[in-house]
Amino acid sequence: MKIDRRKVLGLLGLSGAAAGEAVAQPLSYYKGPVAFEHGVASGDPGLTYVILWTRVTPKQQPAGDIDVDLEIAADPDFKTLVTSSRGLRARASRDWTVKHDLDGQGLKPGTEYWYRFKANGVTSPIGRTRTLPAGKTKDVVLAVASCSLYPNGYFNAYDAIAKLDRVDAVVHLGDYIYEYGGGPKDYGMNAPTAKTRAPEPAHEIVTLADYRARHAQYKTDPALQAAHARAPWIVVWDDHETANDSWIGGAENHDPKTEGDWATRKAAALKAYYEWMPIRDAHATLPEAAWRDFQFGDVASLLMVETRLTARTQELDYDVDMPIVDGKPDLAAFTAKWKDPAHRMMGEKQEQWLAGQVGASTKAGTAWQVLGNQVVMARVAPPNLKATMGDARFAGLLAKLPEYAAKRVAQSVAMSAYDIPSNLDAWDGYPADRQRVYDILTAAKARPIVLAGDSHMFWVNELWNDAGDKRVAAEFGATSVTSPGYGDILPGVPLGEAFAQRNKEVKYAHPSAKGYLLLTLEHGKATGELIAVSTIVDTKYETSVLKRFVVTPSSGGGVEALKEG
């Protein structure tokens, strides 16, 4: 989610087998010098398996495939070797990345392992991973992150995750990379850190080589490398892994006239993503289908959904879809488009999968059904800043803003009188699809927790059905790792309080903090801690718990209570 002044003000109211598997060797491998410049990673864990990843960098060109070995141990000193895999291949055709599905090699459920790769006499950094627990499980600890804009600051949130005493998995909800270039007017390039963290390549990424280079740059970051080496990651993309505000047929930040065919660009972005991320490779016929499930014993079913590329229709635009008639917004015309059942976030195939997974989870007696989801699901109408700030402070704010900005902010106050979305790119812009998800959760008597990224804000929300008579779920929104939020662009403005005052479903919102969410799941409760880092413009930082909220489940499905504590 890109945030610029125009969009911020609009938000306020207007606007298969893994590549590293052992295969028959070619006649010759590259035998020259190599390095492991991008660290190691693991992901998509199961009871007895996990994906292990690295990238081997050949130091001479031309270079063909590289022979790679893998060792897995029960201790960080590798005194007790559990298993090994010889003759893996870092293929030139996959940018010399290795992704090995470590299945059927004697791993045990709920167990930590350490791993390392070797190639041409060089040994990689050591990674730490963990399989999923089976059966009776006391608790599960997840770190949830999203939105890391490289030039805008240091990845201190990732470093903090790497230093956690315990984390069973890292759940990343998207915007792992950004596609923008490094020009003076490009996103994030006005940050104090931009000069030393300029994006590579310097232009907006469009081709396969571009996306590969951007992924490679991100994985040179020491904090990100440390977080990947700490625990298995469970990831899904949002929009910036392809282009801003992407949907099935295009993206806001894609111009077919100058950037070519959208399908070609999307395919290049996904190919690079699957090469460079510790995610199980998708089926070749539908690489956009990233929905999948993870079972953490009897405590939690984590269901990762995909809401960008398989079925999402183009988001609405207030400037286009809500005309002004006789000086007033035509709400009827807008509402007809907004609530159209054909306006989709997910397709029928994914909805059927979700219904099956949620039903199976509740029937098995799993304590929580957790949705790993990209964008905020709560109803969030435009905030009334004037009511929150008072007349004098609000007038002072308007006086400080440029004329066009002051006009938009003042107009947003008027728009707050209507129950319309503040963000048409979130689930609030697709209410019919959202209710279909709620119907699935309600029918199964699920006890859901929704995780959200994208917004660059912390959120704690209660989700109610369309009738407003049933509390369906609790939602925790993770803020960004570095990407700028609304509070950064309008500093000192009480946007969080305004959102909470205006919206029944919003219990807490923080518009400027950077950090991550720490979610601890137990049988009788779920605890969400909003962890903030003190700065992103210096690698020296401190962490603090901004807020802690506890969710208790209802015996009849849904959420019994969400309280600060």
Side-chain angles (χ1 to χ4, degrees):
M1 178 180 182
K2 178 183 177 183
I3 301 179
D4 55 26
R5 287 186 177 274
R6 184 179 182 276
K7 187 162 186 176
V8 168
L9 297 172
L11 187 80
L12 292 177
L14 297 169
S15 225
E21 66 180 354
V23 294
Q25 293 190 4
L27 294 177
S28 64
Y29 275 104
Y30 169 79
K31 297 295 185 180
V34 301
F36 290 92
E37 297 177 351
H38 303 95
V40 297
S42 67
D44 277 15
L47 294 177
T48 59
Y49 56 84
V50 67
I51 297 290
L52 300 181
W53 177 95
T54 194
R55 200 260 187 168
V56 187
T57 302
K59 305 303 287 185
Q60 296 174 349
Q61 292 293 340
D65 295 354
I66 302 172
D67 188 31
V68 182
D69 294 335
L70 169 65
E71 295 178 341
I72 299 91
D75 61 282
D77 297 323
F78 284 77
K79 294 180 179 179
T80 305
L81 198 65
V82 174
T83 187
S84 61
S85 298
R86 309 295 178 186
L88 306 181
R89 182 185 295 181
R91 302 187 188 190
S93 63
R94 287 184 63 109
D95 206 17
W96 294 283
T97 58
V98 179
K99 192 160 61 173
H100 183 57
D101 188 348
L102 192 68
D103 193 8
Q105 293 183 251
L107 302 189
K108 299 178 181 179
T111 305
E112 281 198 325
Y113 296 97
W114 286 259
Y115 61 96
R116 63 189 179 190
F117 296 87
K118 295 182 178 180
N120 294 5
V122 179
T123 301
S124 75
I126 294 172
R128 180 179 178 183
T129 192
R130 185 177 184 88
T131 53
L132 298 185
K136 294 291 184 181
T137 301
K138 179 183 177 182
D139 56 14
V140 174
V141 178
L142 304 175
V144 184
S146 70
C147 303
S148 45
L149 181 62
Y150 193 86
N152 204 62
Y154 294 106
F155 292 165
N156 292 336
Y158 289 147
D159 185 71
I161 290 172
K163 293 175 179 176
L164 286 171
D165 291 334
R166 178 184 171 188
V167 56
D168 298 326
V170 177
V171 180
H172 199 287
L173 300 175
D175 295 345
Y176 180 94
I177 64 168
Y178 280 74
E179 80 275 21
Y180 301 109
K185 294 183 179 180
D186 280 323
Y187 191 40
M189 291 306 294
N190 60 346
T193 53
K195 289 184 179 180
T196 58
R197 292 175 67 84
E200 298 174 3
H203 57 266
E204 181 177 328
I205 55 176
V206 177
T207 67
L208 175 59
D210 291 342
Y211 282 101
R212 284 171 166 174
R214 189 62 56 84
H215 275 281
Q217 180 186 34
Y218 269 65
K219 280 195 171 67
T220 61
D221 186 274
L224 181 53
Q225 285 192 15
H228 271 302
R230 173 62 182 86
W233 282 44
I234 298 172
V235 303
V236 69
W237 55 74
D238 190 25
D239 51 344
H240 290 290
E241 287 86 352
T242 50
N244 183 58
D245 288 356
S246 54
W247 53 288
I248 190 171
E252 177 276 332
N253 192 33
H254 178 76
D255 185 352
K257 295 180 181 179
T258 59
E259 295 174 324
D261 178 60
W262 169 246
T264 300
R265 181 178 184 178
K266 179 179 68 173
L270 289 181
K271 178 173 173 55
Y273 187 89
Y274 279 111
E275 289 171 350
W276 279 87
M277 297 297 288
I279 181 176
R280 188 174 304 278
D281 278 358
H283 194 282
T285 60
L286 191 61
E288 299 94 336
W291 58 82
R292 58 210 195 282
D293 65 286
F294 301 88
Q295 189 66 31
F296 291 82
D298 61 349
V299 173
S301 300
L302 173 61
L303 308 174
M304 303 296 289
V305 299
E306 197 288 316
T307 60
R308 281 289 173 192
L309 303 178
T310 52
R312 180 195 277 251
T313 54
Q314 188 173 12
E315 70 179 87
L316 300 180
D317 184 321
Y318 280 123
D319 291 338
V320 174
D321 298 302
M322 191 164 68
I324 304 299
V325 178
D326 296 329
K328 296 181 179 180
D330 189 344
L331 291 175
F334 170 77
T335 301
K337 296 179 180 180
W338 174 40
K339 296 188 176 182
D340 185 350
H343 191 44
R344 303 299 300 263
M345 283 276 271
M346 297 196 308
E348 291 182 7
K349 187 174 182 179
Q350 186 174 183
E351 285 180 356
Q352 292 170 359
W353 168 84
L354 183 63
Q357 292 294 328
V358 172
S361 178
T362 57
K363 288 179 182 178
T366 305
W368 297 100
Q369 291 71 46
V370 182
L371 267 62
N373 150 76
Q374 293 82 0
V375 296
V376 172
M377 193 170 281
R379 288 176 180 81
V380 184
N384 188 335
L385 277 173
K386 185 176 182 180
T388 301
M389 299 177 71
D391 291 349
R393 285 184 64 199
F394 183 72
L397 170 65
L398 295 183
K400 294 177 183 178
L401 295 176
E403 183 179 354
Y404 80 93
K407 181 179 179 180
R408 302 280 290 195
V409 170
Q411 201 170 7
S412 75
V413 172
M415 297 300 291
S416 69
Y418 306 104
D419 289 327
I420 57 175
S422 62
N423 185 359
L424 292 170
D425 186 55
W427 279 96
D428 215 10
Y430 300 76
D433 242 20
R434 178 176 57 194
Q435 185 57 44
R436 281 190 281 260
V437 172
Y438 289 173
D439 290 343
I440 289 172
L441 300 175
T442 301
K445 296 184 178 180
R447 295 165 291 278
I449 293 178
V450 175
L451 305 177
D454 182 70
S455 70
H456 311 171
M457 288 178 61
F458 276 125
W459 298 89
V460 181
N461 303 321
E462 287 184 335
L463 308 183
W464 292 72
N465 63 0
D466 274 354
D469 57 4
K470 181 174 178 56
R471 186 164 43 193
V472 177
E475 178 175 44
F476 289 105
T479 191
S480 65
V481 172
T482 58
S483 304
Y486 314 125
D488 300 313
I489 299 168
L490 296 173
V493 177
L495 287 172
E497 295 93 325
F499 274 118
Q501 289 176 12
R502 172 63 182 84
N503 294 282
K504 168 187 175 181
E505 297 192 357
V506 178
K507 301 306 175 186
Y508 178 78
H510 196 297
S512 60
K514 304 294 178 284
Y516 67 97
L517 166 70
L518 191 67
L519 181 64
T520 302
L521 299 161
E522 303 171 73
H523 282 275
K525 66 178 181 178
T527 304
E529 296 176 278
L530 312 183
I531 310 294
V533 296
S534 57
T535 182
I536 59 171
V537 298
D538 194 313
T539 55
K540 296 179 181 180
Y541 68 93
E542 297 178 350
T543 61
S544 62
V545 180
L546 286 181
K547 293 283 184 179
R548 181 182 290 107
F549 285 84
V550 177
V551 183
T552 52
S554 169
S555 58
V559 172
E560 184 68 31
L562 186 155
K563 297 180 180 179
E564 186 175 351

